[in-house]
Amino acid sequence: MIIKVCGMRDAVNIRALEQLDIDWMGFIFYPGSPRYVGRSLRYIPSKVKKIGVFVDQDPQIVRERAAQNRLDAIQLHGSEPPWYCINLREERYKVIKSFGIDEDGFIPAGQLDAYEGKCDYFLFDRKTTHHGGSGRKFDWSRLSDYHGDTPFLLSGGISPEDVEEIKSFAHPRFAGIDINSRFEIGPAVKDIELIKTFIKEFR
C-alpha cells in the first residue's frame, strides 16, 4: 500500500520526512498553490519517489522541472487531455491523473474512460473550485462504481483519525493514499511526529 505525502517544500522538513516509512513525496509546481516550491527544490530527497504536481502547465515547463528536480512521476491536477499523459509516458515518466469527485462520490459516466491505459495511476480527490487542497473527503463507498483497470490513490481530507476507515476500505484497484493538509503545522510544513504515529498505526 503506497503512502504519499504531498505538499512538501522546506528542506529540513523534507529530510525528516524521508526517514519515515513512506513511499512517495509530492512537490507542487503550480504557482497558484500556497505550497508552491518554485522552480527547484533546495533539497532533493533520495530515499523516496519524487512526484511533481502540475496544473495545466506547458509540457516544456513540466519537462524542465522534472529534470531539475529529478522527478520520478508527474501528477496532473488540471484538465490535461489524454494525449498529454501519453506524451509524458513516452518520455518514461510515470503519470498520475487526478480527478475531482463530488462530495457524494459520484463519478460521471465516461469521465475516466478516455484516460484508461494512458496513465499509471488515478488519484481521486474531493472536487473543489480550486486545484486540490480542499482538506475534505468524498464518499469513498461510491468508488465501488469504478470498474476500470487503472490503480488509484485516495486523497482529500485524509486525517490521523482515518486509519481504521482506510483499512476497512476495499477495492481491487486501491493502491494507496495521499495525505497533505490534515497533517500540517502550516502550509507545506508537516507534523513529522503525527505522520510517524499515523504510519505506525496504518502499516
Side-chain angles (χ1 to χ4, degrees):
M1 185 62 61
I2 296 165
I3 295 180
K4 173 176 176 277
V5 181
C6 199
M8 299 300 294
R9 182 173 57 205
D10 178 77
V12 173
N13 209 222
I14 292 170
R15 286 179 187 272
L17 183 63
E18 77 169 322
Q19 305 308 313
L20 303 185
D21 184 19
I22 69 167
D23 305 286
W24 297 355
M25 199 180 295
F27 306 97
I28 299 175
F29 292 90
Y30 170 55
S33 170
R35 300 171 183 85
Y36 176 52
V37 300
R39 293 173 60 89
S40 58
L41 296 165
R42 294 184 178 181
Y43 171 72
I44 299 175
S46 59
K47 297 181 179 179
V48 296
K49 296 290 185 183
K50 296 166 287 293
I51 317 299
V53 180
F54 299 87
V55 178
D56 295 324
Q57 285 168 279
D58 186 284
Q60 185 56 37
I61 291 178
V62 174
R63 295 185 190 99
E64 289 173 1
R65 301 293 178 269
Q68 290 167 343
N69 298 280
R70 302 200 294 274
L71 300 179
D72 298 292
I74 307 299
Q75 181 173 316
L76 303 174
H77 249 276
S79 56
E80 299 86 0
W83 62 258
Y84 194 114
C85 303
I86 293 171
N87 289 349
L88 287 173
R89 291 186 84 196
E90 288 178 346
E91 295 172 32
R92 300 188 179 181
Y93 290 109
K94 297 288 187 183
V95 175
I96 305 159
K97 184 68 181 79
S98 174
F99 294 92
I101 309 298
D102 290 336
E103 182 179 2
D104 65 0
F106 176 70
I107 302 175
Q111 182 184 40
L112 308 179
D113 293 349
Y115 293 86
E116 279 287 351
K118 301 173 181 66
C119 303
D120 296 278
Y121 295 89
F122 290 155
L123 184 144
F124 296 137
D125 199 354
R126 171 67 185 272
K127 189 174 184 178
T128 172
T129 54
H130 304 290
H131 294 286
S134 71
R136 300 167 66 190
K137 289 195 192 73
F138 61 90
D139 183 359
W140 297 348
S141 69
R142 289 296 301 274
L143 290 178
S144 61
D145 295 334
Y146 171 58
H147 302 293
D149 294 322
T150 305
F152 68 84
L153 274 68
L154 278 180
S155 185
I158 294 176
S159 74
E161 291 76 38
D162 291 327
V163 173
E164 293 307 317
E165 186 177 357
I166 297 167
K167 285 183 175 182
S168 66
F169 176 75
H171 190 287
R173 299 301 181 207
F174 178 37
I177 58 172
D178 180 355
I179 64 175
N180 192 345
S181 61
R182 300 295 291 274
F183 291 82
E184 285 188 332
I185 300 167
V189 180
K190 300 299 187 288
D191 186 326
I192 299 300
E193 288 303 314
L194 190 60
I195 294 177
K196 185 177 181 179
T197 299
F198 174 82
I199 291 172
K200 183 178 180 180
E201 295 175 357
F202 181 73
R203 294 291 195 197

